[in-house]
Structure formats: C-alpha cells, structure tokens
Amino acid sequence: MESPTLVIFTKRPKIGHGKQRLAADIGPQAALEIAQELFNCATEDAKSWPGPVVLAVESSHDINWAMRLGFDYHLIIPQVGENLGQRINFIDKCLREIGHQEIFFIGTDAPILSKYHYKQAIKMLGQYDTVFCPAEDGGVTIMAGKLPWPKLDLLDWSGERLCNQLVALCSANYMSTGLMDTTYDVDVLEDLERLVRDLSHDGRKSRVQLHNLVEAQLDTLEFY
C-alpha cells in the first residue's frame, strides 16, 4: 500500500481511566472532558490525512464504541501486548502483513500537532527508515517507519529517555533516523496552561473547542 498509513493509539475516554496525572491536578470529570476533546483533535487530524487511517483501541470491548464515532476508519484493531512497545509491534506487524508500508503512529495527547508536522514527517520518511517527533518530556508525539520495528518491549515507555532509546535501538538495527522539531503532549496542569496560550489563535474547530474548554476549566480552578 503506497499511501502513508496513520495509526491513532487511543484509550476510550472514561472516568478514572487514562489521564490520571491530569485527573490528580484538576479532578476526574474535568480530565475526562479534556480527554474527549483531545480525541476529537486527533480525529480532526485524521480527516485530512492523505492515506488510510487506523484506530488502535485498547481492547476488543471498544470496537463497538469506535464504530459509532462516525469516522470511516480503514481498520479498527484492538491492541495486544503487556506494554506499549509490545502493542505497537503487534499493530505494526498486523498492518505490514496486509500491505501497509509507511506507518505513522500518534496518540491523542498532542493537540499542538499540525498539518506542518504531518507533512514534515511524511517528507522525512522519504529520506530515512524511521522518523520521530520528540516531546519535551523525553517521549515522542509521532513515530514513523517504513520497515518493521525491532522489538520495542524493553524500552522505558514512560521515562525521560524514550526518544533517545528509540534512536539508539534503530541505530543498533541499522535503521536510519530523522528527528523532527520538538513538540509537547498534555499530561499535567502546567501543560494545560501552556496549551491554552498556544491554541489561542488556532482556527481548527476541535482546537477551538479544546481551547475554550481548557480556558473555562482553568478559570473555574482559579488558576487565572
């Protein structure tokens, strides 16, 4: 399959499930509302993606929920594995076995990503075997490859050196790597305070809704 494939890794937004660090800062209901808007932002990006879009849901129990979202996903695949590395390897293997070649993985926690970042990632994957968009916390907000990933299960997926570990692993497996401009994801209250400033002039519909929600929640919490 020649067109680039976008894979969105997601957890179904639910109270007490996902975004727990954020929930500790702003409360579980507010964190749930933000998680839902973050997912909408990823879906908004998918609508302009120039190839197939795959939704990797946390379990088979989430397939019916995903099918009711109103987006025409190319595939909806349950994740399989004990950690994120294993789950990425599983999804990557499934897609390559049916002909997908250039595969881009994102989560739902980096609404700062824009068409510029996606175009940059696609262009760079024409030059390298793998491409990463580093996050300021040491992780990544985009990881892309045109070759099967080596085993990812031993990496520290919640640590501050994840991006460095990914680059080193690729190098050890003779895979070239391109690094994009650094971005950030949304995990804690400080990220929301930054996000509301960064999205203040973003005209994309879901970003406007996210900005307004975050701004209102910050006002409620009297952090403004």
Side-chain angles (χ1 to χ4, degrees):
M1 190 168 295
E2 295 183 0
S3 298
T5 299
L6 180 67
V7 181
I8 303 173
F9 261 68
T10 190
K11 292 181 178 180
R12 179 179 179 180
K14 290 184 285 188
I15 285 279
H17 185 66
K19 288 297 167 200
Q20 292 306 292
R21 293 170 62 195
L22 191 58
D25 288 337
I26 66 174
Q29 180 60 39
L32 170 63
E33 293 172 6
I34 288 175
Q36 291 171 329
E37 288 301 331
L38 289 172
F39 180 83
N40 291 341
C41 288
T43 302
E44 184 173 56
D45 294 345
K47 291 177 180 178
S48 60
W49 183 258
V53 178
V54 174
L55 188 66
V57 294
E58 190 173 19
S59 77
S60 58
H61 300 293
D62 297 322
I63 292 177
N64 286 338
W65 161 76
M67 292 177 66
R68 294 194 299 268
L69 292 173
F71 186 86
D72 187 18
Y73 293 103
H74 179 75
L75 291 169
I76 300 171
I77 307 178
Q79 304 167 27
V80 174
E82 296 298 319
N83 63 35
L84 183 55
Q86 290 179 357
R87 296 195 290 270
I88 291 174
N89 278 139
F90 173 78
I91 298 294
D92 189 70
K93 182 175 183 291
C94 288
L95 293 176
R96 294 190 187 282
E97 286 179 346
I98 58 175
H100 296 260
Q101 298 173 4
E102 296 187 349
I103 303 176
F104 296 73
F105 290 92
I106 65 169
T108 60
D109 55 359
I112 200 65
L113 292 175
S114 66
K115 288 183 179 180
Y116 163 78
H117 296 100
Y118 295 119
K119 288 179 179 178
Q120 185 186 24
I122 292 171
K123 180 179 179 179
M124 290 181 68
L125 197 60
Q127 303 169 333
Y128 300 96
D129 297 322
T130 61
V131 171
F132 301 107
C133 185
E136 291 181 358
D137 63 3
V140 296
T141 54
I142 298 174
M143 58 181 292
K146 56 187 177 187
L147 298 172
W149 290 104
K151 288 187 64 176
L152 301 171
D153 58 311
L154 297 181
L155 303 185
D156 184 4
W157 286 92
S158 59
E160 298 178 353
R161 291 184 50 81
L162 174 62
C163 186
N164 291 337
Q165 291 176 344
L166 284 165
V167 171
L169 180 64
C170 290
S171 178
N173 285 271
Y174 309 102
M175 301 165 71
S176 60
T177 297
L179 292 178
M180 299 169 54
D181 301 333
T182 299
T183 55
Y184 66 94
D185 48 24
V186 175
D187 292 313
V188 294
L189 175 62
E190 289 78 7
D191 299 325
L192 294 182
E193 294 171 332
R194 178 178 181 181
L195 185 68
V196 78
R197 294 190 297 268
D198 290 344
L199 294 183
S200 60
H201 300 294
D202 194 319
R204 291 174 290 177
K205 181 178 179 180
S206 290
R207 267 65 174 192
V208 171
Q209 293 174 344
L210 176 61
H211 171 272
N212 293 343
L213 172 66
V214 172
E215 188 174 52
Q217 289 184 347
L218 291 176
D219 285 342
T220 300
L221 293 169
E222 297 183 348
F223 281 100
Y224 269 15

